[in-house]
Amino acid sequence: MEEKTEWSRRTFLGASALGVLGLAGCGSGPAPAPKVDVQVPQALLDQAAPLRGGSVGMLSQKLYSEAANKALDRSLQVFAQATGTTIRNDLVSGDAGDMVAKMDAEVKAGTSRDLAFVSDRRFVGQLHNLGALTDVTDVVTEMKALYGEPATASTKFCVFDGRWFAIPYHFIASGMYLRKDWYAEKGLPLKPYYSWEELRDNALAVSDPAKRRFGWGLTVNRSGDANGFIQNVIDTYGGAIADNTGTKVVFNSPETVAAVTFIGDIYTNPKYQPMLPPGVGSWTDSSNNENWLAGILGLTLNQFSVYADSKTKKNPVYANTHVFNGATGPALDRPLAYGESNSFVVFKGAKNPDLAKLVAKFMVGGSALLGVAKEAPCLVNPSWSKVWDSDPYYTGGDPAFPALREQTRTPLPVTTKTGYAFPQAPSPGEQAALAAYLLTDMMQSVIQGTKPADAVAATHGRIVQIFEQQGYKQ
């Protein structure tokens, strides 16, 4: 997720008057030979026949694995060649900050791309609320007949008033990782999940700065990973940003204050200083990946990008990684682990919506997805139930796959003792508040000396302002 503001373009041209397949914008030239022979199914070729000569613009949320980005390019390249179409593909970081505003401005100006894939959990609600998306219920209905049901979480993040506004592409599991060899040295058990307090205490127990071992690899600096960490602790403690309708801010509560107090103590109490890696206060989204792969962390929370990287690059940390579902808190006796999907959206005013939908249908399964999935093991996973059964790789390619598949079928919602049901209704206000990094700003103020109750109250006020900007009067 290194790319922050610049969008890079790759253009794939189908069979043209030049009689060649062009690949422009990649800098270093064509991607290396793919490990998967990508093929376009005959049914899609038939549907694409009337669209020959057409073109689409596509925006891709950049994957952590560069090899996976190249495999995605390869799939688009094959599709363009086979169908005689042109696909212009831009990469963008999901943590660019202004991504939603930029896409919305382009839609309103009539200059937007035809389609994009983005995190449904983070962005689809905002885009829908802005009126930027096309109803794609017809495509999802067709795909259900082919591929079965999508991941349960996508039904919460892509559906509004019973209609689909995003097409699930690939599933991104939530996960936590600890060093099982360090745990074994201290006689600590390996479990499917822990409480947040257990993880804190275990992190301190396995730490040894003299050996460059730091048990706690989580930051509260501005980043998507920090947002996820802080929000998860608040939710498992019984707090929430909004009520279950996603429209009313309920952030300022005793439960949220307790969670913020717990987190703040980790970064301010001298007792826990030995378990904090140097520079953790200024980490970005790639920092915990880099430090985990360097072998100096005992615990981190991340998408499976860090796991995929350790496996594909044969890093010895892979063999010493214990993957688990997450942590519990006082209000919940099971982790909040249901993941999300990168999902395709078709922008309102798309110049070629039929071709855009066809590209999405091609990318979600078969060899198009398999090529990407193999380059990002456990990070890119099928969203659709029957795709999981389409190739032996998904059933036996990694020990983590059975748990990942199970996460796509997690019964939802998960309800806390305080009555909040997760995932809640898609909330553009909540998504905007997270994009503005209000949670990380709050924790920085606590670290600098603000009392947790005061920091929570101030952040509540800022969240209310954002909700009202989104049209939700409080």
Side-chain angles (χ1 to χ4, degrees):
M1 294 186 179
E2 303 88 343
E3 185 176 346
K4 294 299 180 186
T5 56
E6 295 300 319
W7 293 1
S8 58
R9 168 161 291 182
R10 289 141 186 213
T11 302
F12 308 105
L13 306 173
S16 67
L18 296 176
V20 297
L21 176 67
L23 174 58
C26 289
S28 59
K35 296 180 180 178
V36 173
D37 182 21
V38 179
Q39 300 288 334
V40 183
Q42 186 61 47
L44 293 183
L45 290 174
D46 294 342
Q47 293 178 47
L51 305 174
R52 195 171 188 84
S55 66
V56 293
M58 175 173 159
L59 187 65
S60 299
Q61 186 166 315
K62 189 175 183 181
L63 303 173
Y64 182 78
S65 166
E66 184 55 34
N69 289 318
K70 290 181 178 179
L72 185 146
D73 285 347
R74 176 63 183 170
S75 293
L76 294 173
Q77 182 183 8
V78 169
F79 181 87
Q81 183 182 41
T83 58
T85 58
T86 301
I87 303 172
R88 296 181 303 277
N89 183 38
D90 291 319
L91 296 178
V92 63
S93 167
D95 297 302
D98 61 347
M99 191 171 78
V100 170
K102 198 169 184 178
M103 287 190 286
D104 181 54
E106 290 179 349
V107 169
K108 287 180 168 56
T111 59
S112 72
R113 295 143 185 84
D114 297 85
L115 78 161
F117 77 79
V118 296
S119 163
D120 54 19
R121 183 179 187 179
R122 296 176 62 186
F123 301 118
V124 171
Q126 291 182 78
L127 291 167
H128 173 263
N129 192 54
L130 292 165
L133 303 182
T134 296
D135 187 328
V136 290
T137 305
D138 57 335
V139 181
V140 174
T141 300
E142 179 183 348
M143 290 174 62
K144 284 184 177 182
L146 293 171
Y147 299 129
E149 292 297 318
T152 52
S154 67
T155 65
K156 304 295 183 181
F157 301 131
C158 300
V159 179
F160 302 85
D161 297 324
R163 308 294 294 175
W164 287 80
F165 284 84
I167 303 163
Y169 171 29
H170 63 77
F171 181 74
I172 305 171
S174 60
M176 293 191 74
Y177 316 92
L178 60 79
R179 285 290 298 265
K180 61 184 180 183
D181 52 337
W182 295 7
Y183 267 52
E185 288 178 14
K186 297 295 182 180
L188 299 171
L190 298 180
K191 298 163 58 173
Y193 57 85
Y194 302 79
S195 71
W196 280 112
E197 288 77 8
E198 279 183 290
L199 290 177
R200 177 200 60 197
D201 295 345
N202 290 347
L204 184 60
V206 301
S207 294
D208 187 345
K211 295 181 179 179
R212 286 184 57 76
R213 290 187 177 187
F214 303 96
W216 188 261
L218 306 173
T219 187
V220 290
N221 190 44
R222 280 189 167 215
S223 60
D225 291 332
N227 268 341
F229 161 51
I230 298 165
Q231 187 176 21
N232 189 280
V233 176
I234 290 171
D235 293 345
T236 58
Y237 264 66
I241 291 176
D243 67 359
N244 289 335
T245 69
T247 61
K248 181 176 176 57
V249 178
V250 295
F251 189 71
N252 192 359
S253 70
E255 292 80 14
T256 300
V257 173
V260 171
T261 301
F262 167 77
I263 298 172
D265 187 52
I266 290 173
Y267 300 92
T268 58
N269 190 333
K271 174 182 178 180
Y272 301 115
Q273 190 63 35
M275 72 184 192
L276 301 180
V280 68
S282 58
W283 278 6
T284 62
D285 269 310
S286 62
S287 301
N288 68 327
N289 297 63
E290 294 160 359
N291 282 276
W292 178 263
L293 295 171
I296 67 172
L297 302 182
L299 171 77
T300 197
L301 180 155
N302 203 283
Q303 292 177 352
F304 272 77
S305 54
V306 67
Y307 187 79
D309 226 18
S310 67
K311 181 175 183 178
T312 57
K313 295 180 179 178
K314 303 187 186 308
N315 188 310
V317 77
Y318 171 74
N320 287 312
T321 299
H322 173 59
V323 181
F324 61 103
N325 284 334
T328 63
L332 196 60
D333 58 5
R334 56 182 281 201
L336 278 176
Y338 45 77
E340 61 194 82
S341 290
N342 267 338
S343 295
F344 283 103
V345 295
V346 178
F347 292 111
K348 195 164 287 185
K351 297 173 180 60
N352 201 337
D354 292 338
L355 182 56
K357 293 175 181 178
L358 204 58
V359 170
K361 286 158 64 175
F362 167 66
M363 294 296 290
V364 303
S367 55
L369 178 66
L370 184 63
V372 183
K374 283 192 172 183
E375 295 293 358
C378 302
L379 173 62
V380 173
N381 307 287
S383 277
W384 299 81
S385 59
K386 291 184 180 178
V387 177
W388 276 102
D389 297 317
S390 66
D391 191 273
Y393 172 75
Y394 298 127
T395 52
D398 191 276
F401 278 157
L404 294 177
R405 183 173 187 177
E406 194 60 33
Q407 199 172 125
T408 69
R409 302 183 293 207
T410 298
L412 298 174
V414 178
T415 304
T416 65
K417 295 175 182 178
T418 47
Y420 296 120
F422 296 100
Q424 296 169 296
S427 173
E430 178 178 313
Q431 291 179 5
L434 291 171
Y437 295 110
L438 300 193
L439 298 186
T440 58
D441 288 355
M442 172 187 66
M443 291 313 311
Q444 290 299 324
S445 72
V446 170
I447 291 172
Q448 293 166 11
T450 303
K451 293 181 179 179
D454 293 339
V456 169
T459 303
H460 180 99
R462 294 181 68 192
I463 295 173
V464 165
Q465 290 179 340
I466 286 181
F467 269 67
E468 290 184 341
Q469 291 168 2
Q470 295 283 333
Y472 300 113
K473 296 299 181 184
Q474 299 299 301

